Amino acid sequence: MRRIVLVLVAIGALAGVVASLAPASGQSGGEAAPIFGVKIPAGYRDWRLISVAHEEGNLNDLRAILGNDVAIAAFREGKLPFPDGTIIARLAWSYDRLEESEKAFGRPQSFVAGPPKNGVQFMVKDSRRYASTGGWGFAHFDFGKPASEAVHNTCFPCHEVAKARDFVFNRYAP
């Protein structure tokens, strides 16, 4: 439990300073993602934190889930389905042992965000435009460039298991 709390604290703190990192993937506008036509939204790195997560398996990363004002209001109100205009962003980093903590506790204890990993992803709610995918458009960008059409073809099938939650995996962490 302590490990999870420390990871969540580290990610929460990181989400607040992420704007200062300014990697190429943080650039707004640019090319649109294939299939859905979503571009990187301006100012997304300044959005509020929805939740944090630790993804295991092949992805093996720490994630900060951010939302625009429409998304935050919907999460706070527990509103499903999400209203049109909702945009959710997913940022991810590797997670690294915190050496100082390991020395203090004599074992791996704390983990912090390392280099950005697995691109940045967006979900955009527009029930008319994206009717065939549950009302959501999806986008994945690596270093500011849209991922391939093949990558985007995997988005909706993956999210279908969360249909009861309007295709959104995240839980709001107030």
Side-chain angles (χ1 to χ4, degrees):
M1 182 66 173
R2 286 183 187 173
R3 180 178 175 194
I4 292 170
V5 170
L6 290 171
V7 167
L8 297 178
V9 169
I11 294 175
L14 184 61
V17 298
V18 119
S20 66
L21 297 176
S25 63
Q27 297 172 353
S28 64
E31 295 177 58
I35 304 172
F36 302 101
V38 173
K39 291 185 175 186
I40 296 175
Y44 76 91
R45 288 183 175 269
D46 293 326
W47 292 352
R48 291 188 188 112
L49 183 67
I50 294 170
S51 68
V52 294
H54 170 217
E55 183 74 28
E56 292 192 4
N58 292 337
L59 297 174
N60 198 27
D61 61 34
L62 294 176
R63 298 170 173 218
I65 312 303
L66 309 177
N68 67 357
D69 289 341
V70 177
I72 295 297
F75 271 107
R76 286 182 177 166
E77 296 167 13
K79 189 174 189 175
L80 289 177
F82 288 89
D84 284 356
T86 297
I87 307 176
I88 299 169
R90 192 278 296 148
L91 308 171
W93 300 268
S94 66
Y95 65 99
D96 300 333
R97 288 181 176 177
L98 183 61
E99 290 180 32
E100 297 85 354
S101 176
E102 194 166 331
K103 288 177 185 175
F105 291 98
R107 65 183 182 282
Q109 179 73 28
S110 301
F111 296 81
V112 296
K117 176 176 183 176
N118 300 326
V120 60
Q121 298 174 345
F122 299 95
M123 290 179 68
V124 177
K125 185 68 179 260
D126 184 327
S127 57
R128 290 184 189 176
R129 184 173 180 190
Y130 306 119
S132 66
T133 51
W136 291 97
F138 298 88
H140 180 113
F141 296 89
D142 291 311
F143 304 106
K145 301 287 184 192
S148 71
E149 187 170 329
V151 167
H152 285 87
N153 278 327
T154 67
C155 297
F156 183 65
C158 182
H159 282 261
E160 280 186 299
V161 299
K163 184 177 182 177
R165 295 186 36 76
D166 196 19
F167 305 97
V168 174
F169 290 115
N170 307 305
R171 308 294 193 269
Y172 182 58

